[in-house]
Amino acid sequence: NSFVIRTNTCGELRSAHVGQEVTLYGWIQYQRQGLFLVLRDFQGLIQVVIPQDEAHSHVKNLLSNAPVESVVRVTGIVSPRPPGQENPKMPTGDIEVKAETAEILNSCKKLPFEIKDFIKKSEALRMQYRYLDLRSFQLQYNLRLRSRVMMKMREYLCNLHGFVDVETPTLFKRTPGGAKEFLVPSREVGKFYSLPQSPQQFKQLLMVGGLDRYFQVARCYRDEGSRPDRQPEFTQIDIEMSFVDKAGIQRLVEGLLQYSWPEERGSISTPFPSMMYEEALADYGTDKPDTRFGMKIVDIGDFLRRSDIQFVQNALSYPHGTVKAICIPQGARYLKNKNLESLKESAKSRFNQEIVEIICRPDGSLKSLLTRFLGEKQQSELVQALNMQVDDVVLLAAGEQKQVCSALGSLRLETADLLEAAGLVLRDPAAFHFLWVVDFPLFLPKEENPTELESAHHPFTAPHPSDTSLLYSDPTKVRSQHYDLVLNGNEVGGGSIRIHSAEQQRFVLEKVLKEDSEVLSHLLEALEFGAPPHGGIALGLDRLISLIVDAPSIRDVIAFPKSFRGRDLMGNAPDYVTPEELEPYHIQVSWPLEEKEAKKN
């Protein structure tokens, strides 16, 4: 209570304060029949007894008629609650404050929604009145926990390990590859700044500058349009070190997370397990596997190669053809026919992948379109290969390996949601399963033009030392020194050892990625002036905190988030500006006809 005019906070009062006179400031959470009210501040709730005697009629009148969420000052005496009226659900439930004087500091008009966590509100309304939504217990808890975690991270990096906290510019120039960047006009004709999607180039330049260990709580920007759980501006814990290898970065991050992990979320054990990219795709159908539950993808191509099933034989005849399956535990008990149909439709619409189901009946026999092509012995072997039990359901897919794995990986997660909605607990919400995914390919074929390559991570990632020669002969086979950190099936961090040779960096940009290296001439030149070997990582703070507090969206751990369309519904941004304001930037807006009419009206 230093620097402020209250004597105590509402939430800190206990039986030890009985008999003391206190002055409290807060919001009226609830008022009952002019007898008492519940006062709330950032630390909690306290019951305030409204005086009923004539001498305090002014106080009674004031507090009885004050609207909910009005801001008040109350001075009174802390007293024990009458026997039988204690509330064990409130930390302050053994006591109350008998009001002697009070003042309405600011009356509250009719609220657009009740400030209670259990009241359902539309997200649009919550964001329009974000300053009211911030009064809820859950958002207060989320933001305070976020602040605590960030403080511990700073302590670990700066105080314990000698990192230097450096702010880097937010007005820069376009970076080739990666996400789309926001443009900011300048007063020079036709010239624009870009808002950086990360401080990537600056942190590498800081290593060239000899800083050795850099970190920053960095604001980053990506113009990615309508993405449901992404934000156009976000925060990452950005880290770079000189003279380090992959193992060094991993040890640093594990120590950082262990040190800053909130006590109320239990403890996390290190080192985190590691999995190769190819293994993640083969077993989980994704490069960010949720390892809290089983249902791994099983390859049954060799087993079915001897069968007479036509679509299986067709799939296996292709160079990358495969037959794989996932086994859903107790699927027949928990999933309805419509669930299975929706899963098959999902695979068809999203991945163009047909799915065949196999159900294990109570007598151990199999129900499937495939059984007529399989003898009893083959069916028994199939049950063993997939470790099927009674009431299990198998989803089988045949086709091109990447497509089959992606489809089954997606169905694995959709099925987990359906099973949990039906009452089967698969993923412990209190469990935190960290995983390093390593040995990514350095380059991937572009989706829009598979004959061209793009960086799997970013163009500054170094090739795996064993694959350096392949960079110049067959870049598609080169593994990278890129590593991702995954938590419960979500990517929460990504980094790499960087290219520190100007010659190799120029080759990657010009010959492999076919990018104009002139845009990065400053970085290429810097690498020619004795750049040390270096590497780093960036942790997505918003995503990490949302997983720690089990928030349904990253918007629930950001004070003033944008909508999924990238709009600020509270301040109505982005907004129009006048032609006069645009004039210094040499910009004119070309309006579509219907928008011209709408603006006139």
Side-chain angles (χ1 to χ4, degrees):
N1 296 299
S2 47
F3 315 118
V4 291
I5 47 181
R6 62 177 174 240
T7 61
N8 299 84
T9 60
C10 299
E12 76 176 277
L13 296 175
R14 296 291 184 273
S15 298
H17 296 94
V18 167
Q20 291 181 22
E21 183 181 79
V22 294
T23 297
L24 309 174
Y25 288 79
W27 286 263
I28 297 174
Q29 169 109 345
Y30 173 77
Q31 195 264 108
R32 186 177 176 191
Q33 299 173 342
L35 297 173
F36 68 85
L37 59 82
V38 173
L39 195 64
R40 183 193 75 243
D41 64 12
F42 75 93
Q43 204 164 23
L45 309 169
I46 185 70
Q47 181 169 290
V48 174
V49 178
I50 300 171
Q52 304 297 311
D53 59 305
E54 193 60 40
H56 292 90
S57 59
H58 170 68
V59 176
K60 179 184 178 181
N61 205 30
L62 206 69
L63 295 179
S64 300
N65 296 313
V68 167
E69 290 302 313
S70 295
V71 184
V72 298
R73 173 193 60 77
V74 171
T75 298
I77 305 296
V78 180
S79 309
R81 290 199 190 189
Q85 292 186 23
E86 298 90 347
N87 183 351
K89 292 181 182 174
M90 283 174 71
T92 60
D94 290 338
I95 52 163
E96 57 193 12
V97 172
K98 293 186 172 171
E100 296 192 332
T101 66
E103 180 185 359
I104 308 295
L105 300 173
N106 210 329
S107 186
C108 180
K109 70 175 188 176
K110 185 171 167 49
L111 292 162
F113 53 78
E114 286 189 71
I115 317 288
K116 288 176 182 166
D117 286 308
F118 58 83
I119 300 285
K120 286 214 182 294
K121 301 143 314 231
S122 78
E123 188 153 50
L125 198 62
R126 287 177 60 201
M127 292 177 75
Q128 185 182 348
Y129 296 96
R130 189 62 168 185
Y131 44 84
L132 294 179
D133 200 30
L134 285 169
R135 294 182 190 176
S136 71
F137 166 79
Q138 192 60 56
L139 281 189
Q140 288 268 327
Y141 173 79
N142 292 353
L143 292 178
R144 290 176 192 283
L145 180 134
R146 178 182 174 127
S147 172
R148 279 202 332 260
V149 169
M150 283 172 66
M151 200 65 221
K152 293 284 280 181
M153 285 182 167
R154 286 183 190 278
E155 205 176 276
Y156 181 84
L157 291 167
C158 295
N159 296 358
L160 299 183
H161 293 288
F163 279 76
V164 185
D165 185 351
V166 181
E167 295 167 59
T168 54
T170 48
L171 291 176
F172 193 44
K173 64 190 286 190
R174 189 183 70 82
T175 305
K180 208 167 165 71
E181 294 170 337
F182 285 102
L183 297 177
V184 180
S186 78
R187 289 170 185 261
E188 292 187 55
V189 182
K191 290 189 176 181
F192 292 79
Y193 296 106
S194 279
L195 299 182
Q197 50 190 294
S198 82
Q200 182 60 45
Q201 293 181 54
F202 290 111
K203 62 182 183 178
Q204 289 193 238
L205 293 167
L206 287 169
M207 296 306 102
V208 178
L211 250 75
D212 194 68
R213 295 179 169 208
Y214 142 92
F215 118 92
Q216 180 184 185
V217 179
R219 298 294 285 159
C220 305
Y221 307 88
R222 286 181 190 171
D223 187 7
E224 295 189 308
S226 302
R227 305 274 304 259
D229 207 23
R230 291 281 180 95
Q231 287 284 296
E233 49 184 330
F234 55 97
T235 306
Q236 62 187 37
I237 305 297
D238 204 47
I239 292 169
E240 198 80 4
M241 296 171 76
S242 295
F243 311 111
V244 71
D245 59 10
K246 178 185 74 177
I249 295 286
Q250 289 176 331
R251 283 198 307 275
L252 169 79
V253 170
E254 289 166 359
L256 171 70
L257 288 169
Q258 206 167 34
Y259 186 85
S260 59
W261 198 254
E263 277 181 32
E264 62 265 41
R265 286 294 183 266
S267 59
I268 53 174
S269 56
T270 59
F272 302 152
S274 189
M275 184 182 293
M276 289 193 293
Y277 169 82
E278 292 294 347
E279 183 190 347
L281 289 191
D283 289 354
Y284 297 93
T286 175
D287 59 5
K288 41 180 189 285
D290 188 341
T291 54
R292 287 175 296 172
F293 68 108
M295 282 171 56
K296 282 188 187 180
I297 298 169
V298 180
D299 191 329
I300 51 174
D302 286 345
F303 169 76
L304 288 177
R305 200 176 289 279
R306 305 187 299 276
S307 72
D308 298 325
I309 306 166
Q310 192 57 51
F311 76 93
V312 166
Q313 295 306 324
N314 289 347
L316 293 174
S317 67
Y318 290 110
H320 298 289
T322 189
V323 186
K324 299 199 173 202
I326 56 170
C327 182
I328 305 167
Q330 302 294 292
R333 186 183 297 179
Y334 287 96
L335 300 179
K336 298 182 171 67
N337 278 338
K338 67 174 185 182
N339 297 140
L340 290 173
E341 289 307 313
S342 78
L343 289 168
K344 286 154 78 172
E345 179 51 41
S346 171
K348 180 71 179 163
S349 61
R350 292 178 57 206
F351 301 95
N352 194 27
Q353 179 64 56
E354 296 288 351
I355 298 291
V356 178
E357 79 264 30
I358 307 167
I359 299 170
C360 188
R361 294 190 182 106
D363 64 0
S365 65
L366 300 182
K367 176 189 172 188
S368 174
L369 294 172
L370 303 183
T371 49
R372 59 184 168 159
F373 302 104
L374 300 169
E376 270 189 45
K377 188 180 176 209
Q378 285 179 305
Q379 289 186 38
S380 172
E381 287 172 355
L382 184 64
V383 166
Q384 274 188 310
L386 291 162
N387 195 23
M388 286 182 81
Q389 310 291 322
V390 168
D391 285 338
D392 285 359
V393 174
V394 162
L395 301 181
L396 180 147
E400 190 274 325
Q401 168 135 332
K402 190 178 175 192
Q403 179 180 301
V404 164
C405 288
S406 296
L408 289 176
S410 176
L411 292 185
R412 176 178 176 267
L413 296 175
E414 286 180 54
T415 304
D417 290 339
L418 289 169
L419 290 173
E420 290 188 334
L424 182 69
V425 179
L426 274 183
R427 298 167 292 195
D428 179 358
F432 294 98
H433 283 221
F434 282 98
L435 173 75
W436 289 108
V437 179
V438 298
D439 285 355
F440 283 78
L442 189 56
F443 307 109
L444 291 170
K446 285 185 178 176
E447 270 187 40
E448 65 278 11
N449 184 1
T451 59
E452 293 182 7
L453 295 176
E454 63 184 359
S455 296
H457 186 219
H458 58 51
F460 314 114
T461 300
H464 194 286
S466 312
D467 297 352
T468 306
S469 60
L470 287 170
L471 182 64
Y472 305 96
S473 58
D474 192 352
T476 57
K477 292 193 174 139
V478 180
R479 291 168 298 160
S480 70
Q481 293 192 70
H482 162 200
Y483 31 83
D484 275 354
L485 183 61
V486 176
L487 171 58
N488 295 354
N490 295 269
E491 184 191 330
V492 292
S496 65
I497 301 303
R498 324 299 185 188
I499 295 171
H500 65 278
S501 150
E503 185 187 348
Q504 192 178 80
Q505 185 66 79
R506 190 173 276 107
F507 179 84
V508 166
L509 289 167
E510 294 176 358
K511 304 299 183 193
V512 182
L513 301 175
K514 308 288 192 269
E515 293 278 4
D516 178 10
S517 65
E518 192 54 37
V519 183
L520 291 166
S521 58
H522 56 284
L523 180 65
L524 290 166
E525 187 176 17
L527 296 180
E528 291 174 333
F529 286 103
H534 58 283
I537 194 166
L539 300 176
L541 187 68
D542 308 311
R543 178 87 51 220
L544 179 65
I545 301 296
S546 72
L547 291 168
I548 291 173
V549 300
D550 196 25
S553 161
I554 60 168
R555 290 188 283 279
D556 289 316
V557 299
I558 299 170
F560 297 100
K562 304 286 187 290
S563 74
F564 83 93
R565 294 189 187 280
R567 292 193 59 79
D568 179 340
L569 301 181
M570 183 181 65
N572 196 31
D575 205 354
Y576 298 108
V577 295
T578 64
E580 292 74 30
E581 288 171 296
L582 287 175
E583 201 175 322
Y585 303 108
H586 316 283
I587 293 174
Q588 281 186 318
V589 177
S590 175
W591 295 100
L593 192 59
E594 59 272 20
E595 288 197 38
K596 265 187 193 171
E597 294 303 315
K599 281 201 77 178
K600 274 186 203 168
N601 298 332

